[in-house]
């Protein structure tokens, strides 16, 4: 993958108020730990040789979910042009872990950063046809303007951080 | 319409201007500016719109087939599909599914359309709106005022007051942050307790049974995840063929609506979803048993599909761009537009289709046909045309007798039911002809007190407006006496100047100026006698009369066009008729040939200068300071830049306005029920022309209506820009 989509991804993320943190398989844990505020919840990561530290509860109850400060999940892919990540929820609980905590940390493989919406929908269509039940195109934190001014953090996270596995 | 009805309307509008106008204006302004900015970043904006339009056309064309396909797909996925004929049918099904269990809902206008909350509550369910705006309205017990941001009419202060009174929190809530946090926590408990999650759907794909939900708050995701029964309610028109077809819509919908490149969450659910759900014991349990019901609502849509005029409405993706770009909407908001569910912009089409013409009737006139929404619609719907058609149907639905007063003035093609006021304005041509013939006597009589109060009572012509003053000698007569001045042998081009009714009878000065400017550039001008374009009757919903006027105008101009001459038009609203509405009123070839040969006057001057005419034949602007207001329909045709370029090339220093419309909009500002709204809209333009930088500038405007409005509201006397070029 050329560096270009990643650079675009980074600047698009910045525009929607999301920090991009670059790391590698080896450095993943040491990169993630300072990003965590506890209590933290999460869903198991699908990347080989990459796992969540013990501090991240992967089987939370309702109370733990609502109290969570950080939620760590993988994101299926990123869209460089928009600064979006695709959250593919399933039985492992990516959906609640990415939705209830104050901050969502989304882990994306470098090779999964797609240039634009066209490329994204080609891939989405393929995934949906092979049974992916859910794909949330998430861009920045949840937000609302319904209370008379723009507020970051409505029903979902207040903050989003993307951790990029550059060697994956 | 009776005096009382007019007064009641005027009072309702005045009340809304006072109570909701400021919030609505502030918020729609953000959306409207946001849309201009966000769509400007899209390199392939026009292509995306065409693509989106083509997908919708195809989907509606094949709708029965797609309904069948989506039913099969959803059932194969493990869900259930129910096709509801009408609201009652849908509500019966949904209440059976809910079976008295608690329901959390995300925002869905279609669920408002069927009023499902009332049915659910009557059957014992607790129903919570979890979209924060809908939550505010649920607490306030009010109706939405905007299809995307339903509480747009409420300020932060009002919401705080409402919540503090209703919930009595320990510490009074004040900031938007505090209000949001409070609502999040309050509704958080409802998510945990509820067993049924109800969502709408912006799109449903037939090939995979995927729902696309465009949201920002995250509540729709929670409605699905936190419950074990997912009910999605959507109009049948939401079905599109394939997942890939979502792409142009995803790129367009946020930009067109709230002006965001994309909203926080575009959720693609292919239910039933298997995310862990909340168990009774507050644990996260398996979501494998989640049930899914897709309720597809017909409620008049299949009939709209058969209706050649209303069909386009079904392409609507409910982005709200048409409401946000509507000057009247910006000032008074959706509550003024009537309608049981939908209000503003395309809502007339929806209301006529799903609730019947009566529901669309009351405030349908608030669409002035300014056409600013047309280029903003992501699926290229001709929204003003839909409004006109519905108005025409409302007119025809009423029977009534022609009043003796206006009988002689209304030689139109309409049935007796048309409101007298509409008839008067719709037959402006006849009125102007008579007014001119008897000028100045007719002007004195018309302006006299007794006549004005009679007009106000019988016709609803507001006596606070100055009436147009008719010239004794029409432009056509003047030209007949004077004759063409440029030898055809030596002429650079030959043109027919179209004498629109205002230029011909009221503002002849600008017609004479246009002729002299063209002649200065070596153009041979002729002024054929041609009648009113049909704009006046069309804006009253008198389509048959408009068509007959259009045919006459075509006949009058056709010889010039056949001889290879161009048609030059001074009044932008009439040029817009030639370029837009004539497509629906004239045979295709006639429309095309007239469109291809007609130009706005300064667009034409621009073309002459570009093609070698000598700019020195025009006066030097010498840095004269000008404030220019282009006309709404002129801007829709992208013709503003030509006037600006010509004036600047001639050395004028020009500032432009950026309001969507002056608020006068032909007859609109004369109508006593709308006078105050018209003035309110006009004040926004006036604000732009009374800043430190513009207050001393000479004001010019291209449209007759704009000139009248500016004349009424400014102390400076405005003129048509062509007069700056006339020596
Ligand atoms: S008519 Fe067009 S602009 Fe208006 S809401 Fe529908 S899609 Fe949007």
């Amino acid at each position: 993958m050329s560096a270009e989509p990643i650079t675009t991804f980074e600047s698009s993320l910045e525009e929607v108020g999301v920090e991009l943190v670059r790391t590698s398989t080896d450095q993943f844990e040491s990169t993630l730990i300072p990003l965590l505020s506890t209590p933290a919840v999460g869903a198991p990561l699908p990347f080989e040789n990459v796992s969540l530290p013990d501090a991240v509860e992967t089987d939370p109850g309702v109370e733990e979910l609502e109290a969570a400060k950080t939620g760590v999940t993988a994101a299926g892919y990123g869209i460089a042009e928009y600064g979006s990540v695709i959250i593919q929820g399933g039985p492992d609980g990516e959906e609640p872990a990415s939705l209830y905590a104050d901050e969502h940390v989304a882990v994306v493989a470098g090779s999964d950063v797609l240039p634009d919406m066209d490329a994204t929908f080609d891939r989405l269509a393929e995934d949906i046809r092979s049974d992916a039940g859910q794909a949330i195109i998430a861009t920045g934190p949840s937000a609302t303007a319904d209370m008379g001014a723009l507020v970051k953090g409505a029903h979902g996270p207040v903050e989003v951080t993307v951790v990029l596995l550059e060697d994956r | 319409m009776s005096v009382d009805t007019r007064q009641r309307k005027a009072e309702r509008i005045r009340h809304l201007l006072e109570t909701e106008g400021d919030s609505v204006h502030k918020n729609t302004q953000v959306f409207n500016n946001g849309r201009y900015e966000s769509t400007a970043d899209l390199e392939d904006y026009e292509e995306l719109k065409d693509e989106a339009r083509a997908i919708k056309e195809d989907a509606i064309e094949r709708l029965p087939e797609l309904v069948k396909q989506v039913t099969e797909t959803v059932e194969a996925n493990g869900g259930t599909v129910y096709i509801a004929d009408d609201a009652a049918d849908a509500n019966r099904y949904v209440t059976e599914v809910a079976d008295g269990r608690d329901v959390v809902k995300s925002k869905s206008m279609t669920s408002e359309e069927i009023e499902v909350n009332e049915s659910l509550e009557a059957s014992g369910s607790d129903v919570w709106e979890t979209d924060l705006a809908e939550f505010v309205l649920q607490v306030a017990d009010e109706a939405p005022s905007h299809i995307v941001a339903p509480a747009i009419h409420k300020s932060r202060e009002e919401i705080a007051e409402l919540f503090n009174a209703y919930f009595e929190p320990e510490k009074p809530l004040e900031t938007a942050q505090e209000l949001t946090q409070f609502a999040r926590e309050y509704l958080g408990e409802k998510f945990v307790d509820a067993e049924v999650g109800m969502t709408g759907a912006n799109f449903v794909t037939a090939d995979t049974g995927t729902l696309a939900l465009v949201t920002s708050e995250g509540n729709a995701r929670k409605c699905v995840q936190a419950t074990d029964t997912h009910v999605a309610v959507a109009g049948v028109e939401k079905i599109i063929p394939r997942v890939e077809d979502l792409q142009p819509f995803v790129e367009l919908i946020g930009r067109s609506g709230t002006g965001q490149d994309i909203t926080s969450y575009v959720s693609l659910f292919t239910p039933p979803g298997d995310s862990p759900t909340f168990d009774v014991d507050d644990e996260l349990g398996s979501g494998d048993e989640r049930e899914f019901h897709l309720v597809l609502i017909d409620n008049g849509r299949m009939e709209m599909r058969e209706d050649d005029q209303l069909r386009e409405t079904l392409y609507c993706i409910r982005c709200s761009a048409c409401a946000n770009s509507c000057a009247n909407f910006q000032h008074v908001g959706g509550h003024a537009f009537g309608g049981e569910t939908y209000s503003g912009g395309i809502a007339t089409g929806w209301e006529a289709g799903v609730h019947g013409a009566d529901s669309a009737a009351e405030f349908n006139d608030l669409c002035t046909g300014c056409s600013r929404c047309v280029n903003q619609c992501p699926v290229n719907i001709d929204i003003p045309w839909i409004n006109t058609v519905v108005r025409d149907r409302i007119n025809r639905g009423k029977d009534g007798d022609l009043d003796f007063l206006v009988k002689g003035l209304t030689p139109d093609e309409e049935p007796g039911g048309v409101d007298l006021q509409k008839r008067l304005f719709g037959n402006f041509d006849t009125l102007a002809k008579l007014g001119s013939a008897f000028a100045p006597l007719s002007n004195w009589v018309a302006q006299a007190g007794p006549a004005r109060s009679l007009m106000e009572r019988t016709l609803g012509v507001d006596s606070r407006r100055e009436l147009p003053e008719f010239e004794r000698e029409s432009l056509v007569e003047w030209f007949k006496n004077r004759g063409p001045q440029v030898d055809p042998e030596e002429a650079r081009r030959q043109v027919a100047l179209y004498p629109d009714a205002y230029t011909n009878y009221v503002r002849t000065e600008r017609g004479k100026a246009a002729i002299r400017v063209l002649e200065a550039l070596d153009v041979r001008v002729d002024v054929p006698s041609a009648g009113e374009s049909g704009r006046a009757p069309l804006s009253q919903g008198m389509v048959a009369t408009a068509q007959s006027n259009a045919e006459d105008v075509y006949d009058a101009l056709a010889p010039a066009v056949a001889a290879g001459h161009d048609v030059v038009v001074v009044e932008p609203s009439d040029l817009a008729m030639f370029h837009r509405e004539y497509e629906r009123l004239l045979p295709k070839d006639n429309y095309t040939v007239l469109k291809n040969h007609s130009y706005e006057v300064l667009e034409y001057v621009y073309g002459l200068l570009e093609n070698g005419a000598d700019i020195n034949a025009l006066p030097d602007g010498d840095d004269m300071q000008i404030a220019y207001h282009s006309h709404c329909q002129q801007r829709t045709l992208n013709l503003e830049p030509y006037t600006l370029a010509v004036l600047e090339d001639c050395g004028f220093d020009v500032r432009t306005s950026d309001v969507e419309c002056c608020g006068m909009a032909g007859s609109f500002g004369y109508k006593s029920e709308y006078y105050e709204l018209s003035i309110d809209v006009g004040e926004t333009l006036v604000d732009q022309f009374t800043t430190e930088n513009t207050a001393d500038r000479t004001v010019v405007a291209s449209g007759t209506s704009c000139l009248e409005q500016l004349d009424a509201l400014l102390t400076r006397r405005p003129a048509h820009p062509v007069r700056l070029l006339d020596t």
Side-chain angles (χ1 to χ4, degrees):
Chain A
M1 174 119 287
S2 76
E4 207 193 313
I6 307 279
T7 319
T8 312
F9 190 41
E10 186 163 28
S11 63
S12 303
L13 284 169
E14 200 184 306
E15 263 175 56
V16 294
V18 175
E19 191 193 352
L20 178 84
V21 181
R22 297 163 187 256
T23 189
S24 59
T25 309
D26 288 354
Q27 303 295 312
F28 176 72
E29 197 162 326
S30 58
T31 309
L32 183 69
I33 288 175
L35 298 175
L36 296 178
S37 307
T38 47
V41 296
L45 301 177
F47 312 105
E48 210 181 313
N49 297 330
V50 175
S51 57
L52 292 173
D54 292 342
V56 179
E57 172 59 61
T58 53
D59 189 16
V62 177
E63 250 173 60
E64 286 159 300
L65 262 184
E66 293 201 329
K69 293 258 178 345
T70 314
V72 190
T73 72
Y77 23 108
I79 314 174
E81 202 184 340
Y82 281 87
S84 317
V85 294
I86 311 292
I87 305 164
Q88 297 168 312
D92 285 343
E94 290 85 354
E95 179 67 347
S98 64
L99 189 53
Y100 286 83
D102 294 340
E103 181 186 1
H104 176 215
V105 175
V107 186
V108 189
S111 61
D112 284 328
V113 177
L114 306 174
D116 54 24
M117 221 31 110
D118 265 326
T120 304
F121 268 90
D122 288 344
R123 177 116 171 231
L124 275 169
E126 213 174 287
D127 285 351
I128 290 172
R129 289 200 182 97
S130 56
D131 255 11
Q134 173 187 308
I136 311 287
I137 306 173
T139 313
S142 73
T144 185
D146 288 345
M147 295 297 179
L150 185 67
V151 175
K152 274 194 194 172
H155 287 285
V158 184
E159 220 185 310
V160 175
T161 303
V162 171
V163 174
L164 187 80
L165 293 167
E166 287 188 293
D167 57 343
R168 301 304 284 263
Chain B
M1 200 186 301
S2 71
V3 185
D4 282 355
T5 313
R6 283 190 219 291
Q7 270 176 2
R8 197 169 44 74
K9 277 195 179 193
E11 269 160 32
R12 169 106 180 111
I13 288 176
R14 189 178 313 132
H15 175 72
L16 289 170
L17 282 170
E18 280 163 11
T19 52
E20 302 186 350
D22 289 349
S23 283
V24 172
H25 196 223
K26 191 174 121 217
N27 293 321
T28 47
Q29 213 58 32
V30 174
F31 294 163
N32 201 39
N33 295 338
R35 187 195 61 256
Y36 283 122
E37 279 167 32
S38 175
T39 55
D41 293 343
L42 267 185
E43 269 168 40
D44 49 355
Y45 179 43
E46 295 301 325
E47 290 78 9
L48 281 170
K49 291 201 286 186
D50 292 342
E51 216 184 308
R53 166 83 185 196
I55 292 167
K56 276 290 186 181
E57 277 184 14
D58 170 56
I60 297 302
E61 172 76 31
R62 296 197 285 129
L63 193 53
E65 178 196 321
L66 295 179
V67 170
K68 197 162 157 271
Q69 190 188 355
V70 83
T71 306
E72 285 163 10
T73 320
V74 169
E75 285 173 358
N77 291 345
T80 310
V81 176
Y82 187 75
I83 318 283
D85 291 340
D86 55 22
D89 191 14
N91 288 333
R92 191 191 43 74
Y93 183 80
V94 173
T95 44
E96 263 172 38
V97 170
D99 195 22
R101 294 178 295 169
D102 292 353
V103 181
V104 276
K105 277 183 73 194
S106 70
K107 183 179 162 292
S108 149
M109 285 305 287
T110 309
S111 78
E112 301 261 358
E113 174 188 321
I114 61 171
E115 300 185 353
V116 73
N117 292 19
E118 286 76 355
S119 296
L120 282 167
E121 281 163 1
S123 71
S125 294
D126 264 349
V127 185
W128 288 98
E129 294 286 354
T130 63
D131 171 83
L132 296 181
E134 289 285 357
F135 177 60
V136 168
L137 295 185
Q138 186 175 21
V139 173
D141 194 20
E142 284 179 28
S145 61
H146 186 275
I147 52 172
V148 168
I152 198 170
H153 59 287
K154 285 214 163 325
S155 66
R156 177 184 57 79
E157 292 80 358
E158 285 166 314
I159 299 169
E161 209 174 299
L162 173 75
F163 276 21
N164 289 331
Y166 190 91
F167 296 108
E168 300 182 348
E170 266 166 43
K171 185 176 162 284
L173 303 165
E174 199 187 320
T175 65
Q177 192 95 33
E178 287 166 2
L179 291 163
T180 304
Q181 187 59 27
F182 175 84
R184 175 184 173 135
E185 280 167 25
Y186 186 87
L187 292 167
E189 290 172 27
K190 310 296 174 194
F191 283 117
V192 176
D193 292 342
E195 287 168 70
V196 180
M198 185 183 271
T199 68
N202 294 84
F203 305 94
V204 181
T205 64
D207 62 340
T208 58
T210 304
L211 315 177
L213 266 69
V214 180
T215 70
S216 273
E217 295 180 356
N219 60 312
R221 296 172 64 188
K222 285 186 174 174
C223 285
V224 174
Q225 175 272 323
T227 58
D228 40 38
T229 301
H230 177 189
V231 180
V233 174
V236 279
E237 86 285 2
K238 298 286 171 65
I239 307 174
I240 55 173
R242 304 172 315 142
V243 182
E244 286 89 339
D245 296 332
L246 288 167
Q247 180 251 328
F249 296 107
V250 168
E251 300 212 52
L252 288 168
I253 195 167
R255 297 181 197 264
S256 302
T258 49
Q260 296 161 278
D261 294 353
I262 189 166
T263 61
S264 301
Y265 305 120
V266 177
S267 303
L268 308 181
F269 295 118
T270 308
D274 54 2
S275 284
T277 183
F278 292 164
D279 278 353
V280 264
D281 51 3
D282 283 2
E283 286 305 310
L284 273 187
S286 161
D288 288 345
E289 300 301 313
R290 193 177 269 113
E291 269 182 47
F292 173 58
H293 300 264
L294 175 61
V295 185
L296 291 172
I297 315 267
D298 176 348
N299 207 28
R301 290 167 172 78
M302 285 303 191
E303 264 180 58
M304 290 167 81
R305 190 174 159 267
E306 304 291 324
D307 183 325
D308 285 342
Q309 307 296 344
L310 286 188
R311 184 182 307 121
E312 261 198 309
T313 308
L314 296 173
Y315 307 155
C316 168
I317 62 170
R318 302 195 178 166
C319 71
S320 79
C322 51
N324 300 334
S325 57
C326 170
N328 280 345
F329 191 97
Q330 289 175 356
H331 284 79
V332 76
H335 286 158
F337 282 71
E340 283 180 37
T341 310
Y342 306 101
S343 60
I346 189 68
T348 314
W350 281 118
E351 287 289 328
V354 306
H355 295 308
D358 280 353
S359 178
E362 186 159 6
F363 281 91
N364 170 269
D365 291 354
L366 285 176
C367 170
T368 62
C370 81
S371 80
R372 292 300 304 144
C373 53
V374 170
N375 296 347
Q376 323 304 331
C377 175
V379 284
N380 298 326
I381 298 178
D382 192 344
I383 299 139
W385 179 255
I386 303 233
N387 278 309
T388 304
V389 166
V390 173
R391 196 170 299 164
D392 185 76
R393 290 183 185 177
I394 293 166
N395 287 344
R396 283 168 192 282
K398 278 190 216 140
D399 37 57
D401 280 329
L402 269 189
D403 194 281
F404 68 96
L405 234 182
V406 277
K407 199 161 190 170
L409 292 178
T410 57
D412 57 39
E413 309 273 336
E414 308 299 319
V418 181
D419 185 78
L420 284 182
Q421 183 194 57
K422 292 199 161 124
R423 280 209 124 92
L424 175 81
F425 288 119
N427 289 288
F428 181 75
D429 204 29
T430 313
L431 192 68
K433 221 174 279 168
L434 285 171
S436 169
F438 294 106
L441 180 70
S442 51
N443 294 326
W444 300 336
V445 173
Q447 302 287 6
R452 290 308 303 263
S453 74
L454 183 69
M455 279 166 89
E456 174 138 0
R457 267 184 288 120
T458 55
L459 300 165
V461 177
D462 201 285
S463 47
R464 288 165 286 187
R465 279 280 177 206
E466 251 183 66
L467 294 179
E469 282 196 26
F470 300 109
E471 295 285 348
R472 179 81 203 216
E473 184 185 46
S474 71
L475 183 72
V476 170
E477 287 162 352
W478 173 82
F479 189 83
K480 209 180 273 165
N481 296 333
R482 168 188 181 268
Q485 310 270 305
V486 176
D487 185 334
E489 299 299 314
E490 281 163 25
R492 174 182 298 282
R493 299 285 303 170
Q494 300 202 42
V495 307
L497 184 108
Y498 169 65
D500 65 86
Y502 264 92
T503 308
N504 194 29
Y505 297 116
V506 184
R507 293 196 178 252
T508 52
E509 218 21 74
R510 66 182 194 176
K512 294 173 191 169
I515 292 164
R516 286 189 292 259
V517 168
L518 291 167
E519 288 172 347
L521 297 171
D522 304 323
V523 172
R524 180 184 166 92
V525 184
D526 192 14
V527 184
S529 173
E532 199 273 337
S533 70
R535 169 65 67 196
L538 197 75
S539 71
Q540 310 303 320
M542 295 159 63
V543 177
T545 309
Q547 182 153 28
S548 127
N549 287 16
E551 283 160 0
D552 291 348
V553 166
Y554 178 79
D555 289 345
L557 297 177
V561 175
H565 303 172
D566 300 313
V567 174
V568 172
V569 182
V570 180
E571 174 56 38
S573 62
D574 291 303
L575 182 76
M577 280 297 279
F578 295 2
H579 283 219
R580 286 180 21 82
E581 283 85 0
Y582 276 16
E583 186 173 7
R584 303 181 190 264
L585 302 174
L586 290 181
K588 191 162 188 281
D589 290 350
N590 296 0
Y591 159 70
T592 310
V593 72
L594 185 55
K595 176 179 188 242
N596 291 344
H597 289 90
S598 52
Y599 304 87
E600 191 271 336
V601 59
L602 286 174
E603 175 196 16
Y604 199 73
V605 168
Y606 177 88
L608 292 168
L609 295 175
E610 284 294 293
N611 287 289
D614 184 8
I615 196 165
N616 294 320
L618 300 177
D620 179 2
D622 203 14
D623 283 332
M624 183 179 172
Q625 309 252 303
I626 302 293
Y628 172 53
H629 172 66
S630 177
H631 178 272
C632 46
Q633 288 157 339
Q634 180 186 7
R635 289 176 60 214
T636 295
L637 298 173
N638 294 320
L639 297 177
E640 176 180 13
Y642 297 110
T643 301
L644 191 61
V646 169
L647 293 181
E648 288 184 341
D649 289 349
C650 287
F652 293 93
D653 177 279
V654 189
R655 290 287 162 113
T656 56
S657 67
D658 68 1
V659 295
E660 298 294 2
C661 177
C662 69
M664 187 70 188
S667 62
F668 183 79
Y670 285 106
K671 297 183 174 175
S672 56
E673 61 273 37
Y674 303 125
Y675 171 80
E676 281 159 67
L677 175 56
S678 163
I679 295 291
D680 203 64
V681 173
E683 292 291 355
T684 310
L685 169 58
V686 166
D687 286 347
Q688 297 193 350
F689 281 177
T690 47
T691 63
E692 206 181 305
N693 216 304
T694 51
D696 297 325
R697 287 173 177 259
T698 300
V699 175
V700 292
S702 302
T704 305
S705 291
C706 324
L707 290 168
E708 287 179 349
Q709 180 80 310
L710 285 164
D711 202 8
L713 298 177
L714 287 174
T715 44
R716 284 162 285 172
R717 187 159 165 80
H720 189 284
V722 78
R723 295 190 57 191
L724 296 171
L725 306 179
D726 179 23
T727 36

